[in-house]
Amino acid sequence: MTDALRQDSPLPLTVLAAPVPQRRNRAYLAAIAGFAIFGTALLPFADLALPAVPEFNIFYITGVIFGDVSTALLLFAQFRASGRASLLVLGMAYLFTAAIAVPHLLYFSEFAPRVGWLAGAPQTAAWLWHAWHLAFPAVALGFVAVERWAPDLVLGRRSRALRWAVTGVLCASVGLTILFTAFESQLPLLHDGRSWRPITFQLGWTMALLTLAAFVGVLALPSRYRVMHLWLSVALVAFFFDIALNMLALERFALGWYAGRMSGLLAASFLFVMLLRETARLYVSLGEALQRSSTLNAELERRVAERTAELRALAESLKGAVDERDVLLSEVYHRVNNNLQTISGLLLMERRQLPDAEAGSALERMARRARAMGLVHQQIMTSGNLHQVDLQRLLADLAANLRESLAFDAQGIGLEVAAEPVAVDIDKAMPLGLLVNELVTNAAQHAFPGRDGGRVRIALTREGDMLCLVVADDGVGLSEVPKGFGSRVVQGLVRQLDGRQDVEGEGGVLRRVVFPLKEAE
Amino acid sequence: MMEVRVLIVEDEALLAMAMEDGLEELGYAVVGTAATAAEAVRMARDLNPRVVLMDVRLKGAADGVDAALAIRDAGLEAKVIFVTGSREPVVLKRIADDHPAGLLFKPVSPEEIGAAIEVALA
């Protein structure tokens, strides 16, 4: 956004209410100073008599009417756009000067009505001029008051307010015109045909002081560096010299009379020029801003695309690294698994060479343990994430394996598994697999001596953060607390699981092991 | 009852030996062990086993699935039972394409192999 578009008030933006950058407001202040110096330099020569050119007044007032009407229309347009009350007040000041300048021109020239109660009188034109030059600074002071004490005042029904304002101003000028024509004879004399009378000076000083007050008031506003404030201060300076030079001219057609009117014309047309200038400037900066924002958008889009591509590449390479790791891990598990299979095979081969049945069954147990460990690895390879083992599948596989290697079918022993699908880390799965292997082997070897068959049951249930493993048989039960290597292995595995076990030995053995699902932190 | 002739295809010698031992004990006749796919195909043709126990990973470029396909293409009667240590989806897909007579995952006991052979021959 450009300086002209930056806004520090919450009001709707108008060109006139837009702040002016410091560089330019210095230029405006310099213009004021220049005007003041030039005008002051002319003051001593104001009474220099010059040839009478009444047509000059026609030229001057026509210019003033054009400038003031244009300015009023612009101010009203800005008021309609923003609703700022101060703009309406200022617009009224300009409309009034234009409205009162029309009869002034008529009564100054030969176009004035010659008959009836509107017929011109000698003092009419002068009175109209004085009303005009009193009203303008007075209303300008009103503008200053609104800007100072109610700068954020925004009117609601703008069209209605505008209609009332215009009607009021026109009525006032018509009323004053009637006063200065029909009742001219009852008013004091302002001039004796050519030279000013004392009352002209009293009124003149009043106007000049009002104008100065308005000027100071504008410059003292907290928000003075806005287009309309800077412009109004220039206009007020010009207006001040209009009054002062006219007063010091002492009579019509003196140097001050001409110079004062020139100054008044400048005061009237200054805003018009300035407003055109600011509008043009604003237009250019808007165009630039639009162009910049579109360039900015393109740049932004380009960067987003760039960043997205970078992130995508990063994600790809991370995924590649993870895939690579998974392949390696899978390979390792595969080898461990194969090795366990080999160990188990070797143990079985060794067993066959042994004449001793006791030693043979020990080797067989070892082979089964190695296979149980292999099964856990087998499960983790297929888990998808290479970290967790599904206990439901592990126990099903383990049971199938044990059923064959312990020849359950041949002995008429049934083996049932009921496990919930629970995923655990390999640190839990490994001791659990070995534990089940151990307990089922125990049942097969000790529960059913001399029987034709029986039933072994494996159950795994989850209770919150805890898992409960039950291995039960309907065999002979426990006659004494088991000691021996097998029960030491079981105790060790339960400890590794951070679990506790309890055993029921009546009507078969029921062993329950409860352990946490996750490692304690 | 006639002895069932079995060919073991397994590149790890100890594993092959253990399987041979276990199967012999269960009453099967192990006619040989092959360590490569080419060897497996040749021995299947020469020795005419009824069952081939096929490992997937083998020495050399060709794997067990290649060997199984070659055996079938050669018009041999042998039933192929895969005994694999891998459950990678790609491998499983290739095995399934061969429509094998059986599929076992290591670790596996001799008894399990025996059961699979009975199913395949039934």
Side-chain angles (χ1 to χ4, degrees):
Chain A
M1 284 283 129
T2 62
D3 293 333
L5 286 173
R6 204 179 299 127
Q7 194 190 16
D8 49 15
S9 97
L11 287 173
L13 185 76
T14 68
V15 177
L16 289 177
V20 176
Q22 207 173 13
R23 181 169 39 82
R24 265 193 290 149
N25 73 50
R26 274 203 217 103
Y28 285 123
L29 295 176
I32 293 172
F35 214 114
I37 292 166
F38 186 69
T40 311
L42 278 179
L43 287 177
F45 312 103
D47 57 353
L48 188 66
L50 291 175
V53 186
E55 293 77 11
F56 174 81
N57 211 35
I58 298 172
F59 157 73
Y60 151 67
I61 293 177
T62 311
V64 165
I65 292 171
F66 172 75
D68 283 358
V69 167
S70 306
T71 306
L73 287 177
L74 284 167
L75 285 164
F76 287 151
Q78 301 268 312
F79 165 72
R80 277 177 89 90
S82 68
R84 279 178 85 107
S86 56
L87 290 174
L88 182 64
V89 172
L90 205 56
M92 285 166 73
Y94 272 88
L95 186 65
F96 177 77
T97 58
I100 202 99
V102 173
H104 174 71
L105 177 60
L106 293 179
Y107 289 104
F108 191 87
S109 65
E110 287 131 30
F111 309 119
R114 308 241 175 254
V115 291
W117 51 274
L118 271 178
Q123 305 286 317
T124 302
W127 273 112
L128 285 166
W129 189 92
H130 279 81
W132 154 13
H133 283 74
L134 268 172
F136 182 77
V139 184
L141 271 174
F143 165 81
V144 170
V146 175
E147 278 291 293
R148 170 164 287 277
W149 288 293
D152 297 339
L153 182 60
V154 171
L155 298 186
R157 308 162 69 176
R158 295 172 196 173
S159 305
R160 217 173 89 111
L162 201 52
R163 270 201 302 277
W164 278 109
V166 171
T167 311
V169 166
L170 294 179
C171 286
S173 57
V174 169
L176 284 171
T177 307
I178 293 170
L179 175 70
F180 297 145
T181 49
F183 304 96
E184 189 259 355
S185 56
Q186 289 155 52
L187 296 170
L189 280 181
L190 290 170
H191 61 84
D192 51 14
R194 193 172 168 123
S195 302
W196 308 152
R197 303 279 299 216
I199 189 167
T200 300
F201 294 100
Q202 288 158 19
L203 286 170
W205 284 121
T206 309
M207 297 167 195
L209 285 176
L210 279 175
T211 306
L212 278 180
F215 174 73
V216 172
V218 170
L219 283 189
L221 284 174
S223 54
R224 58 187 173 278
Y225 295 125
R226 289 172 189 277
V227 175
M228 58 182 173
H229 299 145
L230 285 169
W231 143 71
L232 187 60
S233 40
V234 178
L236 285 167
V237 169
F239 201 81
F240 173 81
F241 284 104
D242 179 4
I243 296 162
L245 286 165
N246 181 70
M247 208 161 42
L248 295 177
L250 304 177
E251 57 179 39
R252 283 181 176 176
F253 308 121
L255 175 67
W257 188 86
Y258 285 111
R261 272 154 182 72
M262 285 299 293
S263 187
L265 185 56
L266 281 175
S269 49
F270 194 78
L271 173 67
F272 189 59
V273 173
M274 181 160 167
L275 208 57
L276 289 178
R277 207 170 121 82
E278 288 299 334
T279 308
R281 214 185 277 274
L282 193 67
Y283 187 79
V284 169
S285 60
L286 262 177
E288 282 170 4
L290 282 175
Q291 196 164 12
R292 257 200 307 281
S293 90
S294 79
T295 323
L296 215 63
N297 272 351
E299 170 70 10
L300 211 63
E301 272 167 29
R302 196 183 60 73
R303 280 196 209 163
V304 167
E306 219 174 76
R307 196 85 189 98
T308 309
E310 274 172 31
L311 287 174
R312 195 173 292 138
L314 185 64
E316 286 292 318
S317 78
L318 280 177
K319 193 177 171 300
V322 169
D323 287 349
E324 208 168 302
R325 185 212 63 171
D326 285 356
V327 167
L328 279 174
L329 211 52
S330 187
E331 182 66 26
V332 167
Y333 285 139
H334 188 264
R335 283 179 187 230
V336 170
N337 193 20
N338 246 6
N339 291 346
L340 288 165
Q341 172 83 47
T342 306
I343 288 166
S344 142
L346 280 173
L347 288 166
L348 290 178
M349 284 163 70
E350 199 78 58
R351 183 255 293 164
R352 283 175 208 116
Q353 311 303 317
L354 287 174
D356 184 0
E358 192 68 20
S361 81
L363 288 184
E364 233 173 277
R365 281 200 298 277
M366 283 312 297
R368 264 194 298 276
R369 287 176 187 134
R371 254 200 321 277
M373 293 171 77
L375 279 173
V376 176
H377 278 94
Q378 178 69 56
Q379 285 299 325
I380 202 150
M381 274 195 288
T382 60
S383 69
N385 66 5
L386 295 174
H387 293 297
Q388 295 215 298
V389 175
D390 178 8
L391 292 182
Q392 192 179 47
R393 285 173 53 190
L394 174 65
L395 291 180
D397 278 13
L398 193 55
N401 201 283
L402 289 168
R403 198 179 283 127
E404 293 295 339
S405 73
L406 291 167
F408 270 27
D409 293 349
Q411 298 176 59
I413 301 172
L415 179 60
E416 295 162 21
V417 185
E420 292 182 23
V422 185
V424 296
D425 286 350
I426 192 165
D427 297 344
K428 288 285 178 191
M430 188 61 79
L432 184 75
L434 285 170
L435 183 62
V436 170
N437 175 71
E438 217 62 35
L439 295 175
V440 173
T441 303
N442 279 350
Q445 290 176 348
H446 303 297
F448 313 109
R451 290 204 186 183
D452 286 346
R455 220 160 61 91
V456 178
R457 188 164 61 85
I458 304 170
L460 182 81
T461 49
R462 180 176 178 172
E463 281 151 27
D465 292 337
M466 304 296 281
L467 286 176
C468 176
L469 171 74
V470 171
V471 178
D473 62 62
D474 57 355
V476 296
L478 288 175
S479 52
E480 56 183 36
V481 180
K483 295 184 202 91
F485 178 67
S487 65
R488 275 180 55 208
V489 170
V490 169
Q491 278 169 12
L493 291 169
V494 170
R495 202 166 45 243
Q496 194 178 337
L497 286 167
D498 295 319
R500 54 188 169 72
Q501 61 166 331
D502 55 86
V503 187
E504 292 166 23
E506 298 291 318
V509 179
L510 188 147
R511 196 181 297 261
R512 183 183 291 109
V513 179
V514 179
F515 60 96
L517 184 59
K518 289 201 171 76
E519 288 295 322
E521 295 293 323
Chain B
M1 179 194 142
M2 223 180 76
E3 274 185 333
V4 177
R5 296 162 59 79
V6 179
L7 171 65
I8 296 173
V9 185
E10 168 63 68
D11 63 341
E12 289 201 40
L14 289 177
L15 215 53
M17 275 170 65
M19 279 166 78
E20 184 178 349
D21 249 42
L23 288 173
E24 294 277 3
E25 195 176 33
L26 290 173
Y28 297 97
V30 177
V31 294
T33 56
T36 67
E39 206 176 0
V41 178
R42 185 172 51 75
M43 289 175 81
R45 195 186 303 119
D46 295 349
L47 302 172
N48 195 29
R50 288 201 58 197
V51 174
V52 179
L53 297 175
M54 185 71 79
D55 187 18
V56 175
R57 289 200 194 189
L58 296 172
K59 280 184 201 164
D63 68 3
V65 182
D66 297 325
L69 291 170
I71 288 170
R72 211 179 50 188
D73 289 349
L76 299 174
E77 293 291 310
K79 305 271 187 191
V80 176
I81 297 172
F82 281 95
V83 184
T84 174
S86 167
R87 285 202 196 187
E88 286 169 61
V90 186
V91 176
L92 294 184
K93 172 82 171 53
R94 294 193 60 215
I95 290 174
D97 288 347
D98 184 53
H99 304 295
L103 173 58
L104 294 168
F105 294 102
K106 297 175 191 173
V108 66
S109 64
E111 291 81 4
E112 280 178 286
I113 297 174
I117 291 174
E118 295 314 312
V119 170
L121 294 179

